[in-house]
Amino acid sequence: MLGKDFAEKVNEYLTLKGEEVHSVGVIQTNPEQSKHLETARVRVRGTWIDLVNLRSEAYAEDSRIPTMAFGTPTQDAFRRDLTINSMFYNINENCVEDLTEKGMEDLRAGVIRTPLPPLETFLDDPLRVLRSVRFSARFQFELEPALVEAASGEQVRIALRDKVSKERVGAEVDAMLKSQDPVEAMRHLLRMRIFNVAFPVPKDSNLPEGSEYGPVCVSVMRGVDAALKQLPEGHLSAEDSRLILLAGLLLPLRNVQIKAKKKLVPVASHIVREELKMRTKDAELVLALHNAAAEFSSLAAELQMLRKGGNIGNDEAACRRCRL
C-alpha cells in the first residue's frame, strides 16, 4: 500500500470517529533530483504525519536511477539516511524495532552514522549529507569519521550540486540555522568541503574565482552567535535569531555583486533568494542588516578617532551620530 492510500484510510477512520479530517497532500517522486519515493502528508489531531511505503531498490547497470519496489522492514531500514532514523515502533507489541542493530547504540552514544556504507547512502540521495549535518547540530551528536570522509569526496560534492534541488538544500540550511549549534553545522560544511555548494557565489561576480570565502564567513557568524548568546533569554524570537545568523554568515560577501537583468545585485541577496530559495523578505532583511552593520562600522571608526584626540567640535555630524 502506498502512503497516499494509507492516508486515505486514516481519514476514513477519523471520519467514523467524528474527528476533524484534512485533505491528503502528496509530494511526487522526482528521480532526477534524488526524490525516489512518493510521500503523502496527512494531519491527525493537529500533527502533520508523513507516510511512505516500505521500499527496496535496485540499480540497472546503465542507470543511476533505482527501480523502486515494495520491500521488507529490514530492507527499508537499511535504505534510511541514518541509523537513528531507521528504527520502527511496533504499535501492536508496543516496542522499538532496531533492524540495523545500530540505531539504539548510536542514539545512546550520540553518533551520526549511516546504515549502509556512507558513500552508497549519499549517492542514493546526496541531500543526506546535509541531513547528517543538521541532525548533528540539532542533537549535538558526533559525525562518524567514515561519514565525514565519504561526504568530503568530489563524487558526493558533484552529486549534491547537480542532483538536489535548491529548495531542498535551502530547507536543510534553514533547519541548521534554527538548530542547537548552527555554527558547528557551518563548520561541518567547511570540513566536508561543501560550504561553497550550499552557498555558491556565481562566477560572474566581482569575487576573484577560487576565493575561499567559507572560513571567514563562518568566523563572522561565530562572533554573531556569541553576541546573541549574551542577550537575555527570550529577547529575540527564533526567527529573528535565524535571520541575524544568516546575515552574519554572509556579511563578508557584503560588497560582492553579480549582474542580473542588466543591473548589479548583492550576491548575499542572490544566495538567499536564488540559491537557497528562501523568501524575498528574508533577502531584504539580510541586506538591511548588512547596511546597518556598515553604518555601525563607520560609527565605530569615528568613535575610535575621537578617542585618539580628534577635534569633536569640528565634526558636528560625528557628534550627532554618537549621540544617536
Side-chain angles (χ1 to χ4, degrees):
M1 181 181 293
L2 293 173
K4 181 176 182 294
D5 300 325
F6 189 84
E8 290 172 348
K9 293 292 184 183
V10 170
N11 273 346
E12 289 177 13
Y13 177 80
L14 293 174
T15 300
L16 288 174
K17 293 293 183 179
E19 298 194 29
E20 185 178 12
V21 174
H22 298 269
S23 60
V24 176
V26 178
I27 303 171
Q28 300 292 342
T29 60
N30 187 353
E32 289 297 329
Q33 295 292 334
S34 295
K35 181 72 176 72
H36 304 307
L37 280 180
E38 176 186 286
T39 303
R41 300 199 80 202
V42 64
R43 194 172 186 180
V44 179
R45 296 176 180 173
T47 300
W48 285 103
I49 300 175
D50 290 351
L51 299 168
V52 295
N53 60 281
L54 299 175
R55 65 163 175 160
S56 65
E57 59 189 34
Y59 288 83
E61 291 184 2
D62 59 347
S63 175
R64 63 178 176 82
I65 299 175
T67 301
M68 306 303 300
F70 289 105
T72 66
T74 299
Q75 288 174 320
D76 187 86
F78 276 92
R79 300 311 311 186
R80 295 289 171 177
D81 55 356
L82 304 172
T83 56
I84 62 172
N85 291 337
S86 68
M87 294 178 284
F88 296 89
Y89 185 77
N90 189 319
I91 61 175
N92 295 314
E93 299 182 12
N94 294 321
C95 67
V96 174
E97 296 179 345
D98 182 8
L99 301 177
T100 69
E101 299 183 350
K102 294 179 181 178
M104 289 301 298
E105 175 186 340
D106 289 343
L107 193 60
R108 293 190 183 100
V111 173
I112 299 296
R113 187 198 316 269
T114 57
L116 293 173
L119 183 60
E120 180 178 348
T121 296
F122 293 154
L123 292 180
D124 174 22
D125 183 356
L127 186 73
R128 289 170 171 173
V129 176
L130 300 184
R131 285 177 57 81
S132 300
V133 171
R134 170 164 65 88
F135 277 99
S136 174
R138 178 182 176 184
F139 298 116
Q140 296 181 297
F141 283 9
E142 293 292 325
L143 293 170
E144 182 200 24
L147 182 152
V148 175
E149 182 180 358
S152 303
E154 185 178 8
Q155 193 176 6
V156 171
R157 189 161 55 251
I158 292 173
L160 179 62
R161 183 193 66 197
D162 296 343
K163 290 180 61 177
V164 180
S165 70
K166 297 179 187 298
E167 287 84 358
R168 296 179 77 199
V169 171
E172 292 298 325
V173 169
D174 192 66
M176 291 177 201
L177 294 171
K178 298 174 183 175
S179 70
Q180 290 292 322
D181 198 343
V183 174
E184 186 63 14
M186 297 303 115
R187 285 176 175 150
H188 284 319
L189 298 185
L190 284 178
R191 295 185 191 109
M192 295 174 172
R193 297 186 292 174
I194 55 175
F195 184 90
N196 291 20
V197 177
F199 303 95
V201 172
K203 292 182 179 180
D204 60 351
S205 75
N206 59 332
L207 186 71
E209 189 171 353
S211 297
E212 288 295 331
Y213 51 89
V216 67
C217 287
V218 176
S219 180
V220 172
M221 181 186 178
R222 181 181 61 196
V224 172
D225 183 58
L228 291 178
K229 288 177 179 175
Q230 298 303 311
L231 297 175
E233 186 174 352
H235 186 75
L236 292 175
S237 68
E239 177 67 7
D240 289 338
S241 296
R242 177 186 76 89
L243 285 168
I244 292 171
L245 287 170
L246 180 60
L249 181 70
L250 300 176
L251 186 61
L253 301 174
R254 183 180 70 243
N255 296 320
V256 180
Q257 297 178 316
I258 62 168
K259 283 187 178 181
K261 297 181 180 179
K262 298 182 179 180
K263 65 178 181 179
L264 293 175
V265 174
V267 79
S269 175
H270 169 83
I271 289 174
V272 174
R273 190 69 192 94
E274 301 301 331
E275 300 296 343
L276 300 176
K277 295 298 182 181
M278 293 181 177
R279 301 172 301 177
T280 299
K281 182 180 178 181
D282 289 348
E284 292 171 348
L285 288 172
V286 165
L287 291 186
L289 288 168
H290 284 184
N291 291 334
E295 287 291 321
F296 182 81
S297 296
S298 177
L299 177 58
E302 292 175 4
L303 287 172
Q304 186 176 17
M305 181 189 70
L306 292 175
R307 288 195 188 98
K308 291 181 178 179
N311 191 338
I312 297 178
N314 291 337
D315 195 345
E316 295 182 3
C319 291
R320 284 197 299 272
R321 293 175 70 184
C322 290
R323 285 195 291 272
L324 290 175

